[in-house]
Amino acid sequence: MTSYSERTHTFLSIFFTIAYFIIGAASTLFFECPKHIDPANNRGKKKLSYYDYYSNYPMIFYATAATIFSAYVVAKEGLTFGQPNSKDVEFILCHGFGYFLYDLVYGTYRGYLDRETKIHHVVAIVMSVLGLYLRNSGNEFAFLILAEEISNPIAGLRKILKCYKMESSMLFYYVSLILGFIYTVARFIIGPIYAIWFYPGPTHLGIKIS
């Protein structure tokens, strides 16, 4: 397998970071704001709930794209351990780096990220950089990203419904049901089974630890 040059890594990482800033800004133009958090109904002020609400759209975009990209890589390459990275894998890592850096910076600035989410984002950024630096074991990242992100588009939709105070609707009920099913299967069934081969395998120790 061939991988990208360091210059390409840098370009893609910067490109995706800027792209998510644009997606975040565009979300405020193309998606309606719930009336109770609309600045027009709050003396022109954009409250924390406003930024938290609009953060869901870039997250959904990222999670959907990451799921599709990762599923493609797993289908194309199968499950491998300790193998050199392919360009497809490094594309996924640069994409992840861009989103998590964007959300860490913007979310910290606007105040909608809690401490646990900040730590998660820092770890995700470190893992992306590590995978690119080692040029190895990227397939494992692709599978882990797939298992982690596959439920997040539904999770984002659920948060949006909560912002619209639709917790008592049937739509919210079914979205929650689907989310619970996907999350349980991916994280508590498939994940542990994968770990049986992942941890004893030849994957780089730095990636196992992270």
Side-chain angles (χ1 to χ4, degrees):
M1 295 183 183
T2 58
S3 58
Y4 288 119
S5 66
E6 291 183 6
R7 180 176 295 181
T8 304
H9 290 166
T10 302
F11 170 79
L12 286 174
S13 298
I14 294 173
F15 170 81
F16 283 122
T17 302
I18 295 172
Y20 276 104
F21 272 100
I22 294 172
I23 291 170
S27 298
T28 64
L29 301 176
F30 291 103
F31 296 102
E32 183 182 23
C33 183
K35 291 183 179 180
H36 66 284
I37 62 175
D38 192 329
N41 299 319
N42 291 282
R43 299 180 180 179
K45 294 182 179 180
K46 294 178 180 179
K47 296 183 176 182
L48 179 62
S49 55
Y50 172 89
Y51 295 107
D52 186 48
Y53 165 72
Y54 276 110
S55 71
N56 289 297
Y57 293 103
M59 186 274 283
I60 290 173
F61 186 94
Y62 164 73
T64 302
T67 297
I68 293 171
F69 294 157
S70 300
Y72 168 77
V73 167
V74 172
K76 179 181 178 181
E77 300 180 6
L79 297 179
T80 64
F81 300 93
Q83 297 299 310
N85 293 346
S86 65
K87 288 184 177 180
D88 292 333
V89 163
E90 294 190 345
F91 182 88
I92 292 172
L93 294 175
C94 293
H95 175 239
F97 176 93
Y99 169 73
F100 287 113
L101 181 60
Y102 150 74
D103 201 45
L104 179 63
V105 172
Y106 191 69
T108 299
Y109 175 68
R110 292 302 186 185
Y112 62 77
L113 290 185
D114 57 27
R115 187 192 314 178
E116 291 75 16
T117 305
K118 290 178 184 177
I119 294 172
H120 169 270
H121 283 18
V122 170
V123 171
I125 291 169
V126 170
M127 289 178 66
S128 297
V129 172
L130 185 61
L132 293 170
Y133 172 76
L134 295 173
R135 297 181 180 274
N136 189 279
S137 302
N139 182 275
E140 292 90 315
F141 277 119
F143 180 85
L144 294 172
I145 290 171
L146 175 60
E148 180 174 340
E149 297 298 341
I150 193 171
S151 62
N152 281 343
I154 305 299
L157 174 59
R158 186 175 183 273
K159 284 187 65 180
I160 290 172
L161 293 175
K162 288 184 70 174
C163 289
Y164 278 97
K165 299 182 178 181
M166 295 177 63
E167 291 95 332
S168 60
S169 68
M170 288 302 296
L171 176 60
F172 186 85
Y173 170 78
Y174 284 115
V175 167
S176 299
L177 200 64
I178 294 169
L179 173 61
F181 174 77
I182 296 175
Y183 188 94
T184 300
V185 171
R187 307 265 184 127
F188 297 106
I189 298 177
I190 296 177
I193 293 174
Y194 180 78
I196 294 173
W197 286 277
F198 173 70
Y199 284 104
T203 300
H204 193 279
L205 180 61
I207 294 175
K208 290 180 180 179
I209 294 173
S210 62

